[in-house]
Amino acid sequence: MRSAARVLLPLAAAGLSAALAAGLAAAPAAASVSSASPVASVASVVSPASVASAAETWKWGPTASSDTKGWANGYVRSGSSGLRIVGDLYDAGGARTCSWVKIKWLTDRGKYRTAAYRNCSQSTPRTFTVNAGYMLLAKAMVCRGGTTRITGKCSRWERVWTQGG
C-alpha cells in the first residue's frame, strides 16, 4: 500500500504545485497554504493520522510449559509477503533437558503448517522466526524435551494471532 504523501511528493517536486492545488482545492487546508512551498502544501493536506504504517505488530505470550521451566514470547509482524512470527524461547531446566516451542498456523489455502524450535542453553534465549505468509490463525505450545525430541510437560495451545482479532 502506498501512502498519499509518497505518491504526491514527486508531483510537487516536479513543479506541478498549481495543478496539485487545483486538484485538492476541496480540502480546507489546501486553500490556506501558499504556493511558494509545494512540499508544505502536500504535508499539510496529508495528515500523519491518515497515513497508515506499513507494518503492524501484535505481541503474544508469555507461554510457559506445564512445569514452568520453559517459556516463550514474541510478536507477529505484517509485511509485504504476509505475516512473520518472531519470538524468544527461554530454558530454565536442569542438565540434559531442553525447552521446545511448537508453532502451528493455518494458511489462507486451508493447510496447517508447523515449525518446532529448541533451546538447550539456560543462559541465553533462542530467537526464532517463522515466515508464515498469509495465514488465518497461529497457535504456540511450549514443551520440555531432550536434544532430539519433545518428551512432554507441554502447555496447552495458546493463540498467537487470529485474523479479525
Short mmCIF file of all heavy atoms in Angstrom, two decimals, residues 85 102-116 130-140 157-163:
data_model
loop_
_atom_site.label_atom_id
_atom_site.label_comp_id
_atom_site.label_asym_id
_atom_site.label_seq_id
_atom_site.Cartn_x
_atom_site.Cartn_y
_atom_site.Cartn_z
N ILE A 85 6.16 -14.59 12.30
CA ILE A 85 6.10 -14.83 13.73
C ILE A 85 7.53 -14.85 14.26
O ILE A 85 8.35 -15.64 13.79
CB ILE A 85 5.39 -16.17 14.04
CG1 ILE A 85 4.01 -16.20 13.41
CG2 ILE A 85 5.33 -16.40 15.53
CD1 ILE A 85 3.37 -17.57 13.39
N LYS A 102 6.54 -25.09 19.74
CA LYS A 102 5.94 -25.60 18.51
C LYS A 102 4.92 -24.58 18.04
O LYS A 102 4.03 -24.18 18.80
CB LYS A 102 5.27 -26.94 18.79
CG LYS A 102 4.96 -27.74 17.58
CD LYS A 102 4.49 -29.13 17.99
CE LYS A 102 4.49 -30.05 16.81
NZ LYS A 102 4.03 -31.39 17.17
N ILE A 103 5.07 -24.12 16.81
CA ILE A 103 4.17 -23.14 16.21
C ILE A 103 3.33 -23.86 15.16
O ILE A 103 3.86 -24.59 14.33
CB ILE A 103 4.95 -21.98 15.54
CG1 ILE A 103 5.93 -21.34 16.52
CG2 ILE A 103 4.00 -20.97 14.93
CD1 ILE A 103 5.29 -20.52 17.59
N LYS A 104 2.02 -23.65 15.21
CA LYS A 104 1.10 -24.24 14.23
C LYS A 104 0.28 -23.11 13.64
O LYS A 104 -0.28 -22.30 14.39
CB LYS A 104 0.20 -25.27 14.91
CG LYS A 104 -0.85 -25.87 14.02
CD LYS A 104 -1.56 -27.04 14.67
CE LYS A 104 -2.47 -26.61 15.76
NZ LYS A 104 -3.35 -27.72 16.24
N TRP A 105 0.20 -23.03 12.31
CA TRP A 105 -0.59 -21.98 11.69
C TRP A 105 -1.40 -22.55 10.53
O TRP A 105 -1.04 -23.54 9.92
CB TRP A 105 0.28 -20.81 11.24
CG TRP A 105 1.21 -21.06 10.11
CD1 TRP A 105 1.01 -20.79 8.79
CD2 TRP A 105 2.53 -21.63 10.19
NE1 TRP A 105 2.11 -21.14 8.05
CE2 TRP A 105 3.05 -21.65 8.88
CE3 TRP A 105 3.32 -22.11 11.23
CZ2 TRP A 105 4.33 -22.15 8.60
CZ3 TRP A 105 4.58 -22.60 10.95
CH2 TRP A 105 5.06 -22.61 9.65
N LEU A 106 -2.55 -21.91 10.29
CA LEU A 106 -3.47 -22.29 9.22
C LEU A 106 -3.29 -21.29 8.08
O LEU A 106 -3.51 -20.10 8.26
CB LEU A 106 -4.91 -22.28 9.72
CG LEU A 106 -6.01 -22.60 8.71
CD1 LEU A 106 -5.86 -24.02 8.18
CD2 LEU A 106 -7.38 -22.41 9.33
N THR A 107 -2.89 -21.78 6.92
CA THR A 107 -2.65 -20.90 5.78
C THR A 107 -3.97 -20.45 5.18
O THR A 107 -5.03 -21.00 5.48
CB THR A 107 -1.81 -21.60 4.69
OG1 THR A 107 -2.60 -22.66 4.14
CG2 THR A 107 -0.52 -22.15 5.26
N ASP A 108 -3.89 -19.46 4.31
CA ASP A 108 -5.09 -18.98 3.64
C ASP A 108 -5.64 -20.00 2.65
O ASP A 108 -6.74 -19.86 2.16
CB ASP A 108 -4.82 -17.65 2.95
CG ASP A 108 -3.74 -17.75 1.89
OD1 ASP A 108 -2.97 -18.74 1.90
OD2 ASP A 108 -3.64 -16.83 1.06
N ARG A 109 -4.90 -21.07 2.36
CA ARG A 109 -5.36 -22.14 1.48
C ARG A 109 -5.94 -23.32 2.24
O ARG A 109 -6.24 -24.36 1.66
CB ARG A 109 -4.23 -22.60 0.58
CG ARG A 109 -3.72 -21.50 -0.32
CD ARG A 109 -2.63 -22.00 -1.24
NE ARG A 109 -2.09 -20.93 -2.03
CZ ARG A 109 -2.47 -20.66 -3.26
NH1 ARG A 109 -3.38 -21.39 -3.85
NH2 ARG A 109 -1.91 -19.67 -3.93
N GLY A 110 -6.05 -23.19 3.58
CA GLY A 110 -6.68 -24.23 4.38
C GLY A 110 -5.76 -25.34 4.84
O GLY A 110 -6.23 -26.38 5.29
N LYS A 111 -4.46 -25.18 4.75
CA LYS A 111 -3.50 -26.20 5.17
C LYS A 111 -2.84 -25.79 6.48
O LYS A 111 -2.48 -24.63 6.66
CB LYS A 111 -2.40 -26.37 4.11
CG LYS A 111 -2.90 -26.75 2.75
CD LYS A 111 -3.21 -28.21 2.70
CE LYS A 111 -3.58 -28.60 1.28
NZ LYS A 111 -3.97 -29.96 1.18
N TYR A 112 -2.67 -26.75 7.38
CA TYR A 112 -1.93 -26.49 8.62
C TYR A 112 -0.44 -26.72 8.37
O TYR A 112 -0.04 -27.68 7.71
CB TYR A 112 -2.40 -27.40 9.74
CG TYR A 112 -3.60 -26.87 10.47
CD1 TYR A 112 -4.87 -27.33 10.19
CD2 TYR A 112 -3.45 -25.89 11.45
CE1 TYR A 112 -5.97 -26.83 10.85
CE2 TYR A 112 -4.54 -25.38 12.12
CZ TYR A 112 -5.80 -25.86 11.81
OH TYR A 112 -6.88 -25.36 12.48
N ARG A 113 0.37 -25.86 8.91
CA ARG A 113 1.83 -25.97 8.85
C ARG A 113 2.35 -25.89 10.28
O ARG A 113 1.75 -25.23 11.13
CB ARG A 113 2.44 -24.84 8.03
CG ARG A 113 1.93 -24.74 6.62
CD ARG A 113 2.55 -25.81 5.76
NE ARG A 113 2.11 -25.63 4.39
CZ ARG A 113 1.65 -26.61 3.64
NH1 ARG A 113 1.55 -27.82 4.12
NH2 ARG A 113 1.29 -26.39 2.40
N THR A 114 3.48 -26.55 10.55
CA THR A 114 4.07 -26.50 11.88
C THR A 114 5.56 -26.24 11.78
O THR A 114 6.19 -26.54 10.77
CB THR A 114 3.85 -27.81 12.66
OG1 THR A 114 4.46 -28.88 11.94
CG2 THR A 114 2.39 -28.09 12.89
N ALA A 115 6.10 -25.69 12.85
CA ALA A 115 7.54 -25.49 12.98
C ALA A 115 7.88 -25.66 14.45
O ALA A 115 7.10 -25.26 15.32
CB ALA A 115 7.95 -24.11 12.49
N ALA A 116 9.02 -26.28 14.75
CA ALA A 116 9.44 -26.50 16.13
C ALA A 116 10.88 -26.03 16.29
O ALA A 116 11.71 -26.22 15.40
CB ALA A 116 9.33 -27.98 16.50
N VAL A 130 9.40 -17.47 12.05
CA VAL A 130 8.59 -18.29 11.14
C VAL A 130 7.97 -17.36 10.11
O VAL A 130 7.22 -16.45 10.47
CB VAL A 130 7.48 -19.04 11.90
CG1 VAL A 130 6.60 -19.81 10.94
CG2 VAL A 130 8.06 -19.95 12.95
N ASN A 131 8.30 -17.55 8.85
CA ASN A 131 7.65 -16.80 7.77
C ASN A 131 6.38 -17.55 7.40
O ASN A 131 6.39 -18.48 6.62
CB ASN A 131 8.59 -16.68 6.57
CG ASN A 131 9.77 -15.81 6.87
OD1 ASN A 131 9.66 -14.82 7.57
ND2 ASN A 131 10.93 -16.19 6.35
N ALA A 132 5.27 -17.12 7.99
CA ALA A 132 4.01 -17.84 7.83
C ALA A 132 3.24 -17.44 6.58
O ALA A 132 2.29 -18.11 6.21
CB ALA A 132 3.14 -17.62 9.06
N GLY A 133 3.59 -16.35 5.95
CA GLY A 133 2.87 -15.91 4.76
C GLY A 133 1.49 -15.40 5.12
O GLY A 133 1.28 -14.81 6.18
N TYR A 134 0.54 -15.66 4.25
CA TYR A 134 -0.83 -15.23 4.50
C TYR A 134 -1.53 -16.34 5.27
O TYR A 134 -1.74 -17.43 4.74
CB TYR A 134 -1.54 -14.91 3.18
CG TYR A 134 -0.86 -13.79 2.47
CD1 TYR A 134 -0.03 -14.02 1.39
CD2 TYR A 134 -1.02 -12.48 2.91
CE1 TYR A 134 0.62 -12.98 0.75
CE2 TYR A 134 -0.39 -11.44 2.28
CZ TYR A 134 0.43 -11.69 1.20
OH TYR A 134 1.07 -10.65 0.59
N MET A 135 -1.87 -16.07 6.52
CA MET A 135 -2.45 -17.10 7.36
C MET A 135 -3.75 -16.61 7.99
O MET A 135 -4.04 -15.42 8.01
CB MET A 135 -1.46 -17.53 8.44
CG MET A 135 -1.11 -16.46 9.43
SD MET A 135 0.01 -17.12 10.66
CE MET A 135 0.35 -15.65 11.59
N LEU A 136 -4.51 -17.56 8.51
CA LEU A 136 -5.78 -17.26 9.15
C LEU A 136 -5.66 -17.28 10.67
O LEU A 136 -6.34 -16.54 11.35
CB LEU A 136 -6.85 -18.25 8.69
CG LEU A 136 -7.09 -18.28 7.18
CD1 LEU A 136 -8.10 -19.36 6.83
CD2 LEU A 136 -7.55 -16.93 6.69
N LEU A 137 -4.82 -18.17 11.21
CA LEU A 137 -4.59 -18.22 12.64
C LEU A 137 -3.25 -18.87 12.93
O LEU A 137 -2.71 -19.58 12.09
CB LEU A 137 -5.72 -18.96 13.38
CG LEU A 137 -5.87 -20.46 13.16
CD1 LEU A 137 -5.16 -21.24 14.25
CD2 LEU A 137 -7.34 -20.81 13.21
N ALA A 138 -2.72 -18.60 14.13
CA ALA A 138 -1.47 -19.21 14.56
C ALA A 138 -1.58 -19.51 16.05
O ALA A 138 -2.18 -18.74 16.81
CB ALA A 138 -0.30 -18.29 14.29
N LYS A 139 -1.00 -20.65 16.46
CA LYS A 139 -1.00 -21.07 17.86
C LYS A 139 0.41 -21.51 18.24
O LYS A 139 1.19 -21.93 17.38
CB LYS A 139 -1.97 -22.23 18.08
CG LYS A 139 -3.41 -21.87 17.82
CD LYS A 139 -4.30 -23.07 18.03
CE LYS A 139 -5.75 -22.71 17.79
NZ LYS A 139 -6.64 -23.84 18.04
N ALA A 140 0.71 -21.42 19.54
CA ALA A 140 2.02 -21.84 20.04
C ALA A 140 1.85 -22.74 21.25
O ALA A 140 0.90 -22.57 22.03
CB ALA A 140 2.86 -20.63 20.41
N TRP A 157 -2.31 -25.36 23.70
CA TRP A 157 -2.14 -24.49 22.54
C TRP A 157 -2.67 -23.11 22.89
O TRP A 157 -3.82 -22.98 23.28
CB TRP A 157 -2.88 -25.03 21.32
CG TRP A 157 -2.21 -26.20 20.68
CD1 TRP A 157 -2.58 -27.49 20.76
CD2 TRP A 157 -1.05 -26.16 19.86
NE1 TRP A 157 -1.74 -28.28 20.05
CE2 TRP A 157 -0.78 -27.50 19.48
CE3 TRP A 157 -0.20 -25.16 19.41
CZ2 TRP A 157 0.29 -27.83 18.67
CZ3 TRP A 157 0.87 -25.50 18.60
CH2 TRP A 157 1.10 -26.82 18.23
N GLU A 158 -1.85 -22.11 22.75
CA GLU A 158 -2.27 -20.73 23.03
C GLU A 158 -2.25 -19.92 21.75
O GLU A 158 -1.34 -20.06 20.93
CB GLU A 158 -1.37 -20.09 24.08
CG GLU A 158 -1.53 -20.79 25.42
CD GLU A 158 -0.94 -19.99 26.56
OE1 GLU A 158 -0.92 -18.75 26.46
OE2 GLU A 158 -0.51 -20.62 27.52
N ARG A 159 -3.26 -19.07 21.60
CA ARG A 159 -3.41 -18.28 20.38
C ARG A 159 -2.31 -17.22 20.30
O ARG A 159 -2.11 -16.45 21.22
CB ARG A 159 -4.77 -17.65 20.33
CG ARG A 159 -5.03 -16.89 19.05
CD ARG A 159 -6.39 -16.31 19.02
NE ARG A 159 -6.44 -15.21 20.00
CZ ARG A 159 -7.52 -14.56 20.28
NH1 ARG A 159 -8.66 -14.87 19.73
NH2 ARG A 159 -7.49 -13.56 21.13
N VAL A 160 -1.63 -17.21 19.18
CA VAL A 160 -0.61 -16.20 18.90
C VAL A 160 -1.22 -15.07 18.07
O VAL A 160 -1.01 -13.90 18.34
CB VAL A 160 0.58 -16.84 18.14
CG1 VAL A 160 1.54 -15.81 17.63
CG2 VAL A 160 1.29 -17.84 19.04
N TRP A 161 -2.00 -15.45 17.05
CA TRP A 161 -2.61 -14.46 16.16
C TRP A 161 -3.83 -15.10 15.51
O TRP A 161 -3.82 -16.28 15.18
CB TRP A 161 -1.61 -14.04 15.10
CG TRP A 161 -2.09 -12.97 14.20
CD1 TRP A 161 -2.01 -11.62 14.40
CD2 TRP A 161 -2.74 -13.12 12.93
NE1 TRP A 161 -2.57 -10.95 13.35
CE2 TRP A 161 -3.02 -11.84 12.43
CE3 TRP A 161 -3.12 -14.22 12.18
CZ2 TRP A 161 -3.65 -11.63 11.22
CZ3 TRP A 161 -3.74 -14.03 10.97
CH2 TRP A 161 -4.00 -12.74 10.50
N THR A 162 -4.88 -14.30 15.33
CA THR A 162 -6.08 -14.73 14.63
C THR A 162 -6.55 -13.60 13.72
O THR A 162 -6.56 -12.45 14.13
CB THR A 162 -7.21 -15.06 15.62
OG1 THR A 162 -6.75 -16.08 16.50
CG2 THR A 162 -8.44 -15.57 14.90
N GLN A 163 -6.95 -13.95 12.51
CA GLN A 163 -7.45 -12.94 11.61
C GLN A 163 -8.77 -12.39 12.15
O GLN A 163 -9.65 -13.13 12.53
CB GLN A 163 -7.68 -13.52 10.22
CG GLN A 163 -8.14 -12.49 9.21
CD GLN A 163 -8.28 -13.09 7.83
OE1 GLN A 163 -8.01 -14.26 7.61
NE2 GLN A 163 -8.70 -12.28 6.89
#
